[in-house]
């Protein structure tokens, strides 16, 4: 099944993906635990960030959130039959990837 995604929806989806990759590439200290020994997951304290770096990371997070909101609420989804929306969302996620 093929979908004719609008360019702004494709761009927002790619923005989400690219910013997620940047955020996921930040150093993670997997060795931290709570006082009861429970591990803290994805705690990003492996590096102390400067004020400029912290501001950039916060900008990435805000930009990713805005792009994700656009993807989720885009009017395009109303044009897709309800039973095909999951397939369409999966197709968008992989749009442009080599088969």
């Amino acid at each position: 099944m093929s979908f004719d995604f609008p360019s702004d929806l494709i761009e927002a989806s790619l923005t989400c993906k690219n910013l997620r990759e940047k955020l996921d590439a930040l150093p993670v200290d997997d060795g931290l635990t709570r006082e009861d020994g429970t591990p803290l997951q994805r705690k990003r304290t492996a590096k102390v960030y400067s004020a400029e770096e912290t501001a950039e990371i916060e900008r990435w997070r805000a930009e990713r959130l805005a792009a994700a909101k656009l993807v989720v609420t885009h009017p395009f989804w109303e044009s897709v039959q309800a039973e095909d929306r999951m397939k369409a969302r999966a197709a968008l996620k992989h749009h442009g990837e080599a088969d």
Side-chain angles (χ1 to χ4, degrees):
M1 179 172 280
S2 179
F3 299 95
D4 188 21
F5 298 114
S7 61
D8 63 331
L9 181 57
I10 294 168
E11 183 178 333
S13 179
L14 289 174
T15 296
C16 283
K17 180 180 179 180
N18 293 337
L19 290 171
R20 172 69 182 254
E21 289 172 358
K22 282 184 175 184
L23 291 166
D24 283 350
L26 295 173
V28 176
D29 186 349
D30 291 327
L32 295 177
T33 59
R34 294 186 177 102
E35 288 180 17
D36 66 358
T38 307
L40 290 172
Q41 295 182 3
R42 305 192 59 78
K43 183 72 174 170
R44 297 195 191 298
T45 59
K47 177 182 177 193
V48 176
Y49 295 100
S50 69
E52 293 82 16
E53 290 171 321
T54 300
E56 183 173 22
I57 291 167
E58 290 306 313
R59 185 183 57 78
W60 290 347
R61 288 181 176 145
E63 188 177 339
R64 182 169 182 264
L65 180 60
K69 284 181 181 178
L70 176 61
V71 169
V72 170
T73 63
H74 198 283
F76 169 77
W77 303 117
E78 294 173 17
S79 71
V80 178
Q81 295 292 324
E83 61 270 12
D84 294 330
R85 286 187 189 141
M86 290 296 289
K87 291 176 188 172
R89 288 183 189 275
L92 177 63
K93 185 175 180 181
H94 299 288
H95 184 272
E97 293 179 2
D99 292 329

